[in-house]
Amino acid sequence: MPVKQELTAALKDAMLTKNNTKKNTVRMILSNIKNVEIDSGEELDDAAIMGVLQKQLKMRNDTIKDAKRIDRQDIIDEANKEIEIIKSFLPESMDPDELKRLLAEIVAEVGAESMRDMGKVMGVAIPKFAGKASNAEISAVVRELLS
């Protein structure tokens, strides 16, 4: 089932079970997807939706960092609940060793030799690993491989 349909079904389920956290989180995700679709003028495929989900995950992690600085446990707890909901729509994260092996193949495939070639590698890797690894994880491994 496409991710967008999964999200819509999850929203209906959250509304029926009166799970406000899940309902609000899924609504926000669907709203962000709709905004990206309006901006781009076309419907997003599953890979692009994974990118939106990753961005939402990063925002929640940033919220947790900020909330820790001001010692707001209530915000941290709410963000953690939202993170779990978002993660339920993402595929399992890749094993770091497997990610490194696959990125090494991409480095060889594009003929990257130095940090100047990082853009080439990232251009191939990001769409390929959408939802399976964050851009930050991919970037860190590519930097390690090209150093």
Side-chain angles (χ1 to χ4, degrees), residues 20 26 29 34 45 53 60 62 72 78 106 114 123 132:
N20 285 330
V26 174
I29 293 167
K34 188 70 170 171
D45 60 358
L53 290 171
R60 297 318 187 284
D62 291 345
R72 290 285 309 268
E78 187 68 22
I106 292 173
S114 69
K132 298 175 187 167

Side-chain angles (χ1 to χ4, degrees), residues 31-117:
S31 173
N32 283 313
I33 290 169
K34 188 70 170 171
N35 288 338
V36 172
E37 287 177 341
I38 290 169
D39 290 345
S40 69
E42 56 188 43
E43 193 168 329
L44 297 181
D45 60 358
D46 282 352
I49 291 173
M50 290 299 153
V52 171
L53 290 171
Q54 287 285 357
K55 193 175 286 186
Q56 291 294 308
L57 204 57
K58 183 180 183 319
M59 286 173 51
R60 297 318 187 284
N61 285 323
D62 291 345
T63 298
I64 290 173
K65 286 179 190 171
D66 292 341
K68 282 182 180 177
R69 275 199 304 254
I70 59 173
D71 198 28
R72 290 285 309 268
Q73 190 60 42
D74 58 324
I75 296 173
I76 294 169
D77 293 341
E78 187 68 22
N80 280 325
K81 288 178 190 173
E82 292 174 357
I83 285 172
E84 289 307 311
I85 293 166
I86 294 167
K87 281 184 176 180
S88 71
F89 297 104
L90 289 168
E92 289 293 317
S93 295
M94 286 191 89
D95 175 55
D97 295 331
E98 179 72 5
L99 179 64
K100 189 171 185 175
R101 185 184 66 75
L102 293 172
L103 285 171
E105 289 175 9
I106 292 173
V107 167
E109 179 184 312
V110 298
E113 297 174 358
S114 69
M115 288 300 292
R116 289 187 300 173
D117 300 320

Side-chain angles (χ1 to χ4, degrees), residues 58 99 118 122 126 133-143:
K58 183 180 183 319
L99 179 64
M118 186 165 176
M122 294 298 287
I126 288 175
S134 72
N135 292 355
E137 292 171 324
I138 295 169
S139 177
V141 173
V142 171
R143 285 180 195 280

